[in-house]
C-alpha cells in the first residue's frame, strides 16, 4: 500500500450511529466513493518462554559461580498477528518481542503458529469491521472495533497516497480528520510511534509501518 498512513481510535464512538455519521460526511461532504466492506484482525499470542532471555542468556561456568545477563520484560513474551485484506489481497504481519520485529508472513504461518500451542498460546483478539472510501488522492477506512465480545469504539485509518513521508503528510491528514469527526469526539491520535524501535525507516512508510501502528495503538491503550 503506497503513501502515508495514520491509524486513530475514536474512543467514545457509538457503534452503527457513528459509522453512519462518518459515511454521510465522507460521501456527501468530501464526495468520496464507497469502495466496499473493510475488515482487519489482530491476535495476541503469549509464550511461557522469554525470547530475549534465550538470545541474551550467557552462563559463565567457574569453579564457584554462575553469572547471567539481565533478563527482558514480560512483553518480550508477546507476539501479535495483524491480518489485513481479503482473498487475494490478504496480507499478514507478525510483530514480535517487545515490538522489535515486524515480519510479513505467508498465509500458512497462522495455522502453523496455532499448532504450536506449547510455544505460542492465543490470548486476545481484536476485529475491525466497516467500510473503505476513496477520494482523489486518499483512502479512508472506518470500522467498529471489537475486542473479544466487547465494543471498544471506532478505528479510522487515513491513507494519503501521493507521499510516503509521515512528517510531511500529517497536517493534510489532520485536516481530513477534522472534516469528518464531530468536534467533541474523544480521539486517541496514536502519537509518538517510534518506527526505529522496529528497525523501520521513519521517513518512508510501508505496509509494515501500518501493522506496527496498530500494535502500538492496541498496546499503549491497553486494548490488547
Amino acid at each position: 500500500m503506497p503513501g502515508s498512513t495514520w491509524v486513530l481510535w475514536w474512543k467514545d464512538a457509538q457503534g452503527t450511529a457513528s459509522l453512519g455519521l462518518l459515511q454521510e460526511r465522507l460521501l456527501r461532504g468530501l464526495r468520496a466513493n464507497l469502495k466496499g466492506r473493510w475488515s482487519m484482525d489482530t491476535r495476541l499470542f503469549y509464550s511461557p518462554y522469554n525470547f530475549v532471555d534465550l538470545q541474551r542468556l550467557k552462563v559463565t561456568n567457574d569453579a564457584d559461580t554462575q553469572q547471567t545477563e539481565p533478563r527482558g520484560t514480560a512483553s518480550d513474551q508477546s507476539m501479535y498477528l495483524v491480518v489485513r485484506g481479503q482473498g487475494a489481497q490478504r496480507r499478514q504481519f507478525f510483530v514480535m518481542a517487545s515490538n522489535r520485529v515486524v515480519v510479513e508472513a505467508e498465509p500458512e504461518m497462522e495455522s502453523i503458529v496455532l499448532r504450536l500451542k506449547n510455544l505460542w498460546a492465543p490470548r486476545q483478539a481484536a476485529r475491525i469491521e466497516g467500510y473503505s472510501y476513496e477520494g482523489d488522492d486518499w483512502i479512508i477506512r472506518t470500522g467498529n472495533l471489537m475486542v473479544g465480545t466487547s465494543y471498544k469504539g471506532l478505528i479510522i485509518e487515513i491513507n494519503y497516497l501521493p507521499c510516503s513521508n509521515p512528517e510531511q503528510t500529517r497536517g493534510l491528514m489532520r485536516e481530513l480528520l477534522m472534516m469528518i469527526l464531530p468536534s467533541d469526539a474523544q480521539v486517541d491520535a496514536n502519537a509518538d510511534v517510534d518506527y526505529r524501535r522496529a528497525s523501520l525507516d521513519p521517513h518512508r512508510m510501508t505496509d509494515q509501518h501500518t501493522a506496527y501502528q496498530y500494535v502500538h495503538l492496541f498496546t499503549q491503550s491497553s486494548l490488547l
Side-chain angles (χ1 to χ4, degrees):
M1 180 175 55
S4 181
T5 303
W6 186 17
V7 177
L8 309 100
W9 175 32
W10 181 0
K11 297 189 288 185
D12 60 340
Q14 301 299 312
T16 303
S18 296
L19 204 60
L21 173 65
L22 292 181
Q23 183 170 96
E24 180 179 2
R25 294 187 176 186
L26 282 160
L27 295 180
R28 296 186 179 182
L30 296 181
R31 299 189 178 278
N33 296 315
L34 176 61
K35 294 186 63 180
R37 303 282 304 184
W38 170 66
S39 65
M40 204 197 78
D41 295 278
T42 302
R43 302 183 67 175
L44 169 62
F45 295 85
Y46 185 82
S47 175
Y49 304 101
N50 190 312
F51 287 89
V52 169
D53 281 355
L54 295 178
Q55 294 171 6
R56 292 182 179 176
L57 191 61
K58 294 181 180 178
V59 179
T60 304
N61 292 308
D62 297 325
D64 301 311
T65 64
Q66 284 190 337
Q67 296 179 344
T68 63
E69 289 189 354
R71 295 178 178 268
T73 63
S75 57
D76 292 315
Q77 296 165 266
S78 301
M79 177 173 69
Y80 296 83
L81 171 62
V82 181
V83 181
R84 299 173 53 82
Q86 303 293 328
Q89 296 184 341
R90 177 185 171 96
R91 303 182 70 185
Q92 59 186 26
F93 304 87
F94 286 102
V95 183
M96 304 177 57
S98 288
N99 308 338
R100 290 189 181 93
V101 181
V102 183
V103 179
E104 183 170 3
E106 296 298 326
E108 58 270 17
M109 278 301 298
E110 181 178 3
S111 61
I112 293 174
V113 171
L114 289 173
R115 290 199 295 268
L116 298 175
K117 295 181 179 179
N118 292 332
L119 185 59
W120 291 109
R123 284 294 180 89
Q124 289 181 292
R127 181 167 178 81
I128 306 167
E129 289 188 296
Y131 300 92
S132 178
Y133 307 87
E134 186 172 21
D136 291 336
D137 53 10
W138 50 263
I139 296 173
I140 293 180
R141 301 173 178 89
T142 64
N144 286 318
L145 171 63
M146 300 292 295
V147 178
T149 58
S150 300
Y151 176 72
K152 294 295 184 179
L154 194 146
I155 295 295
I156 301 173
E157 179 185 308
I158 304 176
N159 179 209
Y160 182 70
L161 300 172
C163 179
S164 60
N165 189 322
E167 296 176 355
Q168 297 176 4
T169 58
R170 186 55 58 91
L172 293 169
M173 290 191 286
R174 185 175 286 110
E175 290 181 11
L176 283 172
L177 184 67
M178 293 175 63
M179 292 179 185
I180 61 174
L181 273 181
S183 59
D184 60 347
Q186 297 181 22
V187 176
D188 185 330
N190 198 18
D192 302 321
V193 181
D194 186 2
Y195 296 112
R196 289 168 295 189
R197 186 181 181 191
S199 300
L200 297 172
D201 185 350
H203 305 298
R204 184 179 180 276
M205 294 199 72
T206 65
D207 289 318
Q208 282 89 342
H209 291 71
T210 302
Y212 187 72
Q213 276 194 68
Y214 276 101
V215 172
H216 182 271
L217 175 63
F218 290 151
T219 55
Q220 295 301 309
S221 302
S222 299
L223 289 166
L224 278 183

